[in-house]
Amino acid sequence: MIDISPSVMQFLLAFAVAVPLLGAVAALLPAPPGLKGKNPDQAVLRHGVTVTGAVLVAAIALALGFDHDAPSRFQATTDISWIPALDIRIHLGIDGISLPLLLMTALLFFLCAVYSYFKLPEGPSPKAFVSLLLVLESGTLATFAVLDLLLFFLAFEMVLIPMYFLIARWGGAQRQAAAWKFILYTLLGSVVMLLGLLLIGLNSGTFDMVALASDNGRGLSHTTQILAVLAIGLGLAVKTPMWPLHSWLPDAHTAAPTVGSVLLAGVMLKMGTYGFVRILLPITPEGMHTFAPYLGAFAAVGIVYGSLACLALARKGNKGDLKRLIAYSSVGHMGFVLLGIATLTPTGVNGALFANIAHGLITGLLFFLVGALKDRYGSSDLDTLAGVTGAALYGRAPRLGALLAFAAVASLGLPGLAGFWGEMLALFGAFDPAEGLSRPAFLTYMAVGAFGTLLTAAYLLVVVRRVCMGDPKAGPEVSLADVQHYEFAAWTPLVALTVLAGLWPATLLGLTDPAVQKLLAGGNA
């Protein structure tokens, strides 16, 4: 930690949230004569790298100035009146729960901007692409930084339009249908979620998330809490995505460009689970206690369902798309996050938050790698990669093959890598759930989740065997470039953080645990 004054911390957080929005506007304007260069398209892509890089520097400075001795306290706070008639305030702040998500979001957007500078997806104007990317970044960062329910909703919705256009205009086959499915599912969930947020705000007399968390549901009747959890939880479950509200995800991932898939999996899915932790756990504790067994059941089914779907896609002859397979794997991984939240215990919720970060790093890396394979082979179809071309990545492109194998074993939860700790803590939380919850039910969910880890290992090892192993001479001669310099630049931070989080989990848990303890105690711990 370094000593940064509170006013500078305030500025850094406001800067991180607002600058991408200003950068998005600037990207659409004509470049000043001195900055046009010989290639205006490359100039606007450099603009994207510069803005996301500045936001990443601000996020790192926030982390360095963050008081790690008091991670349960909101820091870098800004609280000014915006719409007095509705008591809506521009209230920003970060604690040990939101800081890691803020850092990961800033990092992934910067890496995507760097990757796009060298490998821009086919589509319309690069200006529009960079502008949409920056609007998306502003919305996601705001979601993790705002402390007002209606501002949270606005930030939550702000990301839908840019992601819709990234899929619809820069995506692959079936992109229009996938984009429409994405927007319709998420908008429907958001309308219901808004009703729940209004129900809380109007019944309690405030939309301030800090005040509501400190009140811990005492100002809300049991019926109000039940209705609020049902409405808000539905909207958050669509974005997470929870089985059976997940069906938009595989189509969106399959059609999205590489950076779209990275951001969808690495950042946007976390907005749903963050909402469960930040809003429902502290503000509607009775409602969550009522619905926790059902949330745990849906989570356990999602874990096994996602794994079985991946196994089916990985089988020879099923023409399984590798991007689609990883999308279904996200349904299973996010099931562990929801299971951890459903336990209502510090162990389970810390596991859920850890699994959130691990999934963002590992699945972001997986989508980068699959995008690189698709660029080289012209297809992400597993049978094509494994059969027709005799992929044998270890022999044809050893670095690419090694990275794919690393990401796969990290995703299956190998001890020593980031994917292990979150899932293990979620299962531990299910072993001893919060008082009043049915222990036999949660022991069943734990057993189902543990079985899901075996299925996860099975399908990922099948993918590695089919794509990476084999005789390079078995297929036709294919000139295959190994990892390029810009790919190393984009992927190395994700590999390093996956290892670091796996070897030193206390770094992340030391941030989240005090904040989780306070949150579950209603702001009194």
Side-chain angles (χ1 to χ4, degrees):
M1 173 187 169
I2 57 176
D3 188 19
I4 299 179
S5 71
S7 59
V8 174
M9 291 286 283
Q10 282 181 335
F11 170 77
L12 287 171
L13 184 56
F15 177 91
V17 172
V19 160
L21 206 53
L22 298 174
V25 175
L28 296 175
L29 300 175
L35 297 177
K36 279 185 178 179
K38 295 182 180 179
N39 188 336
D41 289 349
Q42 289 300 102
V44 76
L45 292 171
R46 277 197 302 274
H47 170 77
V49 173
T50 303
V51 174
T52 55
V55 171
L56 178 59
V57 170
I60 293 171
L62 275 170
L64 293 174
F66 188 82
D67 184 358
H68 290 257
D69 293 327
S72 61
R73 175 172 58 85
F74 283 104
Q75 302 177 36
T77 54
T78 298
D79 189 6
I80 55 177
S81 180
W82 184 36
I83 307 177
L86 297 175
D87 192 29
I88 300 174
R89 309 183 67 80
I90 298 178
H91 193 181
L92 305 176
I94 52 171
D95 65 353
I97 292 172
S98 50
L99 178 62
L101 289 165
L102 197 83
L103 275 169
M104 184 179 72
T105 299
L107 174 66
L108 283 174
F109 271 96
F110 174 67
L111 298 181
C112 284
V114 170
Y115 189 85
S116 300
Y117 179 81
F118 294 96
K119 193 69 181 179
L120 183 69
E122 292 183 13
S125 159
K127 281 190 172 187
F129 177 84
V130 170
S131 183
L132 289 169
L133 203 67
L134 293 174
V135 172
L136 188 63
E137 180 174 30
S138 182
T140 49
L141 288 170
T143 301
F144 301 133
V146 298
L147 297 172
D148 182 278
L149 287 179
L150 291 185
L151 272 186
F152 176 87
F153 177 77
L154 292 176
F156 200 83
E157 294 303 285
M158 185 175 162
V159 304
L160 299 185
I161 299 304
M163 183 53 76
Y164 166 81
F165 281 110
L166 284 174
I167 297 171
R169 304 301 297 276
W170 283 270
Q174 305 295 318
R175 59 181 182 267
Q176 291 289 347
W180 272 111
K181 197 170 184 179
F182 161 76
I183 200 81
L184 289 175
Y185 263 76
T186 48
L187 274 179
L188 181 61
S190 297
V191 168
V192 181
M193 185 175 79
L194 177 60
L195 295 176
L197 295 173
L198 291 173
L199 183 66
I200 289 176
L202 296 176
N203 275 275
S204 60
T206 181
F207 290 98
D208 186 88
M209 291 159 68
V210 179
L212 287 165
S214 297
D215 192 52
N216 202 216
R218 285 182 286 272
L220 301 171
S221 69
H222 184 71
T223 302
T224 301
Q225 291 195 37
I226 291 288
L227 292 173
V229 170
L230 195 59
I232 298 170
L234 186 65
L236 296 174
V238 170
K239 187 67 74 73
T240 297
M242 180 182 78
W243 178 91
L245 303 173
H246 68 283
S247 59
W248 62 270
L249 184 73
D251 292 341
H253 269 310
T254 305
T258 296
V259 293
S261 292
V262 171
L263 296 173
L264 188 58
V267 177
M268 287 185 65
L269 303 191
K270 312 303 173 282
M271 294 165 66
T273 50
Y274 175 77
F276 275 103
V277 174
R278 176 65 73 207
I279 298 173
L280 294 184
L281 282 181
I283 296 175
T284 56
E286 292 180 26
M288 276 300 288
H289 197 280
T290 300
F291 279 104
Y294 305 103
L295 180 62
F298 282 121
V301 173
I303 291 168
V304 174
Y305 170 84
S307 298
L308 290 176
C310 291
L311 273 174
L313 288 169
R315 285 181 60 189
K316 188 175 181 180
N318 281 6
K319 304 295 288 182
D321 189 284
L322 201 46
K323 287 186 75 175
R324 196 174 189 86
L325 184 147
I326 298 168
Y328 272 111
S329 80
S330 292
V331 176
H333 288 305
M334 298 312 287
F336 282 102
V337 176
L338 290 172
L339 179 59
I341 294 169
T343 67
L344 308 183
T345 63
T347 302
V349 176
N350 275 305
L353 294 171
F354 199 103
N356 249 351
I357 299 297
H359 179 265
L361 298 173
I362 297 166
T363 308
L365 177 60
L366 277 169
F367 275 117
F368 268 135
L369 291 165
V370 174
L373 280 174
K374 190 171 184 178
D375 289 339
R376 287 159 170 77
Y377 282 115
S379 172
S380 56
D381 176 82
L382 197 52
D383 285 341
T384 301
L385 293 174
V388 177
T389 59
L393 273 184
Y394 289 152
R396 292 176 179 271
R399 293 185 183 89
L400 189 59
L403 281 169
L404 183 62
F406 170 84
V409 297
S411 185
L412 64 82
L414 185 74
L417 298 176
F420 171 73
W421 295 105
E423 295 181 3
M424 185 193 72
L425 289 171
L427 294 176
F428 276 2
F431 180 77
D432 189 18
E435 187 178 348
L437 296 178
S438 169
R439 193 172 184 220
F442 275 86
L443 286 174
T444 304
Y445 304 154
M446 184 192 75
V448 172
F451 178 62
T453 62
L454 297 177
L455 295 177
T456 303
Y459 71 74
L460 285 168
L461 291 175
V462 167
V463 168
V464 171
R465 180 178 59 81
R466 295 193 65 201
V467 176
C468 295
M469 301 178 183
D471 183 2
K473 300 176 182 177
E477 287 296 324
V478 178
S479 177
L480 185 64
D482 210 337
V483 180
Q484 303 296 299
H485 65 280
Y486 67 91
E487 293 171 331
F488 264 126
W491 303 343
T492 300
L494 299 179
V495 173
L497 288 171
T498 299
V499 175
L500 286 171
L503 294 178
W504 289 282
T507 305
L508 183 55
L509 293 172
L511 278 174
T512 61
D513 185 52
V516 167
Q517 297 278 359
K518 180 179 178 180
L519 178 138
L520 292 175
N524 300 316

